[in-house]
Amino acid sequence: MSIAIPQELIERLAAARRVAVLTGAGISAESGIPTFRDALTGLWARYDPQELATPEGFARNPKLVWEWYAERRARIAGVAPNAGHMALAGLEQRFEQFTLVTQNIDSLHQRAGSREVVELHGNIARVKCSAEQTVVSEYAATETPPRCRCGALLRPDVVWFGEMLPAAALARAEEATEHCEVFLSIGTSAQVYPAAELPLRALSAGATVVEINPERTALSRHAHFVLPGAAGKVLPALLARLAAIA
Ligand code: BJW
């Protein structure tokens, strides 16, 4: 089935110099990584975010949290970027400024070849000291979780609920959002703040806002264009249409 992409959107993209993109778990779904909020297959359908993705949950049961992240890290290591990730890496080449802001922690954008990736929620491949908050690259895995030299527990370098986002990443995301002509929101339910605010800020700043998602979200009624489909299908089609006119 061909994907209907309005000609007006292609023309606005072709004329744009600055593009910002926000991605969420949905873009990695076609690589085999579960999303969070899918009613059947999402992580939060099977696990309690309060126990696994908050500092309080980690304090209560650090071993459970460490092992959950170890399992997810192993799964991510066994998958590959999909056609959606690849198309975004291709799109990056076409614009003077292209900022890819992701809520994902899986490095699949970087593995697909994207260069300007801003990670809002950290990266599962890194660990940091839970007391000093510094990234630790070497540690002895003699207990679970392992400990930092300072004696505190190590934890994944990701952003849990109630924690601040990395300030530099958020500032870069906001800057790209405020100054883009086209903003693409891809594979995110637009429920988690402050990431969910970015497309709304882009709208207020006058950008054309586009959503790519098989389901409607909190953003859908605000977006100028909603492309209802899987990112792995819609993004390659968008790239091909753009290539055909340029
Ligand atoms: C496809 C597809 C395909 C499927 N193609 N699409 C303002 C209002 C209300 C609450 C707050 C607020 N400000 C802050 C808060 C609190 C909180 C929050 O937002 N809570 C909401 C749930 C209400 N935010 C925070 O705590 C943040 N910190 C913060 O704000 O600090 C300041 C502060 C501190 C204290 C008090 C107040 C302020 C931190 C948020 C951290 C989120 N962390 C997680 C875990 C990361 C580590 C890990 O992976 O384990 O990040 S939670 C989880 O949700 C993960 C994701 O990045 C994030 C977003 O999820 P995403 O990517 O949108 O996934 P899904 O599953 O929701 O959606 C997938 C979509 O894909 C769906 O729509 C599908 O349809 C679609 N899809 N297949 C395209 N093939």
Side-chain angles (χ1 to χ4, degrees):
M1 200 174 70
S2 75
I3 293 154
I5 301 177
Q7 181 63 18
E8 193 190 338
L9 167 57
I10 298 301
E11 283 164 12
R12 286 197 202 182
L13 260 176
R17 288 185 303 120
R18 288 165 300 196
V19 172
V21 180
L22 172 68
T23 64
I27 190 145
S28 295
E30 290 159 88
S31 290
I33 302 185
T35 64
F36 292 92
R37 293 174 183 78
D38 184 279
L40 294 176
T41 59
L43 291 172
W44 297 157
R46 289 177 289 145
Y47 303 102
D48 180 354
Q50 289 307 317
E51 295 307 317
L52 294 162
T54 62
E56 295 78 14
F58 183 67
R60 275 192 293 275
N61 197 340
K63 187 167 184 288
L64 175 80
V65 174
W66 181 271
E67 286 173 344
W68 189 62
Y69 277 93
E71 249 178 65
R72 288 176 58 203
R73 199 176 288 123
R75 179 160 190 167
I76 288 167
V79 306
N82 64 54
H85 297 108
M86 299 303 211
L88 283 176
L91 270 182
E92 182 174 30
Q93 312 293 327
R94 306 193 64 86
F95 298 97
E96 206 172 296
Q97 200 177 309
F98 186 89
T99 309
L100 176 45
V101 179
T102 188
Q103 297 167 84
N104 299 345
I105 58 171
D106 57 26
S107 300
L108 287 177
H109 287 305
Q110 291 91 333
R111 287 174 56 196
S114 287
R115 284 170 304 164
E116 285 294 314
V117 182
V118 178
E119 292 178 324
L120 285 184
H121 293 164
N123 192 300
I124 197 169
R126 292 190 302 263
V127 302
K128 67 178 182 181
C129 173
S130 59
E132 300 164 319
Q133 305 298 326
T134 44
V135 172
V136 172
S137 48
E138 282 178 31
Y139 54 87
T142 46
E143 47 183 319
T144 308
R147 285 185 187 272
C148 177
R149 274 194 209 144
C150 78
L153 296 176
L154 294 179
R155 54 161 282 185
D157 186 13
V158 299
V159 182
W160 286 328
F161 286 114
E163 294 186 317
M164 304 298 279
L165 275 63
L170 187 56
R172 271 182 78 193
E174 287 170 343
E175 157 79 18
T177 297
E178 300 285 344
H179 295 106
C180 67
E181 292 136 53
V182 179
F183 185 103
L184 308 177
S185 176
I186 305 168
T188 175
S189 60
Q191 286 184 41
V192 174
Y193 288 83
E197 251 167 33
L198 295 173
L200 303 176
R201 286 177 70 159
L203 269 176
S204 305
T208 296
V209 173
V210 184
E211 179 172 67
I212 299 175
N213 195 315
E215 307 292 335
R216 286 188 71 79
T217 74
L219 175 67
S220 307
R221 69 194 169 92
H222 303 288
H224 294 101
F225 298 95
V226 175
L227 305 181
K233 296 273 185 299
V234 176
L235 284 167
L238 194 67
L239 182 61
R241 284 279 299 279
L242 208 51
I245 62 161

